[in-house]
Amino acid sequence: MTWPRLVINRNHLIQNAEETCRRCAAVGVSVSGVTKGMSALPDMAQVMVEGGCATLADSRLQNLAKLKQKGFTVPLHLMRLPMPSEVADVVQWADVSFVSSCEILELLNTAAADAKKRHGVLVMFELGDLREGILPQELEQITDTLARCHWLDAAGVGTNFGCFGSTIPTVEKLTQLAELGEEMERRLGVTLPFYSGGATSTLPLLNELPRRINNLRIGEALLLGTDTNHDETIQWLHQDVVTLEAEVIEVRRKPSVPSGPLACSAFGEKPVFEDRGERLRAIVAVGRQDLRSPHVMPLDDGVLPLGASSDHLLLDVENMTPGPKIGQILRFRMGYGDMLALFTSPYVAKVVV
Ligand SMILES: *Cc1c(COP(=O)(O)O)cnc(C)c1O
């Protein structure tokens, strides 16, 4: 075995997926399992599908290509707007991509025609979060362009909350999205399969959703059992699907304040040190190359993260009884940002148990 590593609890991931999909299905909503938080690890994506996710969604085309090459047959959605330089690959690997401009529609249409392969597009609307999306008044123009793109299928409409603007979903905004979708349907003379009303942060509204909202793109709830936008633990989900394990490489009593003249750390920061006298400290072998520490949350009692450099995570272990030994494995929970980084790091092993 090698450390550091992420240990994934397969049972709890499948239970999170099943419970989320069950609650959504009860109100006519399908779940797109969002795989970007775990770098689309195929074993975990497979569990999401087994748990009931009808589609898988990711922001990175490489992740979707990996899933397609592994033989996944559920529809794959590219949730980040395609780069013009990647449209040929988008058409090859994604079944649907999220769009917000006529330029990209034209490029995707040409790429789809070249590949002789139809491609679905889901139009993102800007409803206040100020990340991607067309303004409601641009609907006519984008719909007219879409109608001329014969190799593209209108897959639906969607919006974001809590990505840039820290907005939370409301029934009013989702009603507006539903109306925009219906307007698009009238203009195109088709029925749109996806009315995608957000992500984990829309789950609290599940029982009040406008009738037409029929899809959510869920990552954080499945992987962490939390809802960061509402700063909540989701009581009906497991929080221990993913655990970080790291190995102790030094244990020593040291002062709590550095000595000598101080300037900036290697990361350009000026940390503040509280003098707590001499404390027992441990170093575990994981660092900023792998996470955004010290935001990781120790699972062992008496462990307090102090900070990290590229390859070292420093811990106060004064209150750990018994104190740790060199070679001991310490365990941590993490937030979304740390999870994203840890799964991306080639220095961190991933094991599904
Ligand atoms: C990452 C992402 C999601 C998933 O959000 P969670 O909060 O993890 O459920 C949904 N939609 C888009 C467009 C995303 O980029």
Side-chain angles (χ1 to χ4, degrees):
M1 275 188 283
T2 61
W3 283 276
R5 64 178 192 171
L6 289 168
V7 179
I8 296 105
N9 182 327
R10 184 180 200 286
N11 269 340
H12 284 184
L13 177 57
I14 202 159
Q15 285 171 18
N16 279 2
E18 282 172 351
E19 184 59 19
T20 304
C21 292
R22 191 184 66 73
R23 286 174 184 244
C24 287
V27 293
V29 169
S30 70
V31 174
S32 290
V34 172
T35 54
K36 68 182 188 219
M38 39 89 163
S39 294
L41 195 72
D43 287 345
M44 292 176 75
Q46 181 58 34
V47 175
M48 285 185 173
V49 173
E50 284 170 26
C53 296
T55 47
L56 294 174
D58 205 294
S59 310
R60 305 283 173 150
L61 191 57
Q62 290 95 323
N63 285 349
L64 296 183
K66 175 166 71 180
L67 294 175
K68 209 54 141 192
Q69 285 164 321
K70 286 275 177 190
F72 279 78
T73 53
V74 293
L76 301 182
H77 289 193
L78 180 65
M79 295 186 300
R80 187 175 67 185
L81 309 175
M83 295 181 270
S85 59
E86 67 178 351
V87 288
D89 294 326
V90 171
V91 167
Q92 181 176 3
W93 300 117
D95 299 288
V96 168
S97 54
F98 291 16
V99 296
S100 74
S101 71
C102 295
E103 290 94 314
I104 288 289
L105 284 179
E106 308 270 11
L107 290 172
L108 284 170
N109 188 51
T110 305
D114 289 347
K116 299 206 167 29
K117 187 168 185 277
R118 302 196 64 75
H119 184 71
V121 290
L122 185 148
V123 177
M124 289 301 276
F125 282 90
E126 163 55 47
L127 297 180
D129 198 55
L130 304 180
R131 202 177 69 179
E132 79 278 26
I134 68 166
L135 305 175
Q137 57 267 33
E138 296 175 273
L139 182 143
E140 182 177 349
Q141 191 197 6
I142 202 136
T143 310
D144 288 351
T145 305
L146 183 49
R148 286 197 311 272
C149 291
H150 298 298
W151 284 88
L152 300 183
D153 296 315
V157 291
T159 194
N160 281 322
F161 301 99
C163 291
F164 175 70
S166 70
T167 56
I168 54 167
T170 61
V171 171
E172 292 69 36
K173 287 187 179 184
L174 291 170
T175 302
Q176 190 187 3
L177 179 68
E179 286 167 0
L180 290 163
E182 287 173 335
E183 171 69 17
M184 196 174 262
E185 288 187 346
R186 276 192 293 277
R187 288 179 175 273
L188 290 171
V190 298
T191 303
L192 298 175
F194 288 97
Y195 280 68
S196 193
T200 294
S201 66
T202 302
L203 287 174
L205 282 185
L206 218 44
N207 294 317
E208 308 162 54
L209 288 182
R211 188 183 53 83
R212 294 299 310 258
I213 302 299
N214 65 2
N215 173 261
L216 295 178
R217 313 173 302 268
I218 309 281
E220 184 184 355
L222 305 184
L223 298 171
L224 295 174
T226 54
D227 174 352
T228 301
N229 291 121
H230 290 96
D231 194 18
E232 272 174 9
T233 296
I234 303 175
Q235 296 305 328
W236 42 275
L237 293 174
H238 296 288
Q239 282 75 46
D240 59 355
V241 170
V242 185
T243 307
L244 169 65
E245 294 184 354
E247 190 169 3
V248 175
I249 55 173
E250 183 183 291
V251 182
R252 186 161 278 117
R253 187 165 290 283
K254 292 188 185 181
S256 38
V257 179
S259 52
L262 303 188
C264 290
S265 75
F267 291 88
E269 293 156 1
K270 286 194 175 153
V272 180
F273 299 94
E274 183 196 345
D275 192 354
R276 306 174 74 196
E278 284 207 345
R279 308 279 295 178
L280 190 66
R281 291 165 165 253
I283 302 177
V284 292
V286 66
R288 293 213 194 187
Q289 268 199 35
D290 321 296
L291 45 71
R292 290 191 318 176
S293 116
H295 302 289
V296 285
M297 300 160 258
L299 289 170
D300 300 277
D301 285 335
V303 179
L304 185 72
L306 295 170
S309 59
S310 313
D311 311 290
H312 301 78
L313 173 59
L314 305 175
L315 305 166
D316 181 312
V317 290
E318 182 73 30
N319 295 330
M320 192 179 177
T321 42
K325 299 225 168 341
I326 286 180
Q328 188 170 333
I329 304 301
L330 299 183
R331 300 164 69 245
F332 303 85
R333 271 185 57 203
M334 69 214 78
Y336 200 86
D338 285 318
M339 178 178 65
L340 197 64
L342 284 159
F343 270 103
T344 309
S345 173
Y347 303 102
V348 177
K350 290 91 187 173
V351 276
V352 180
V353 297

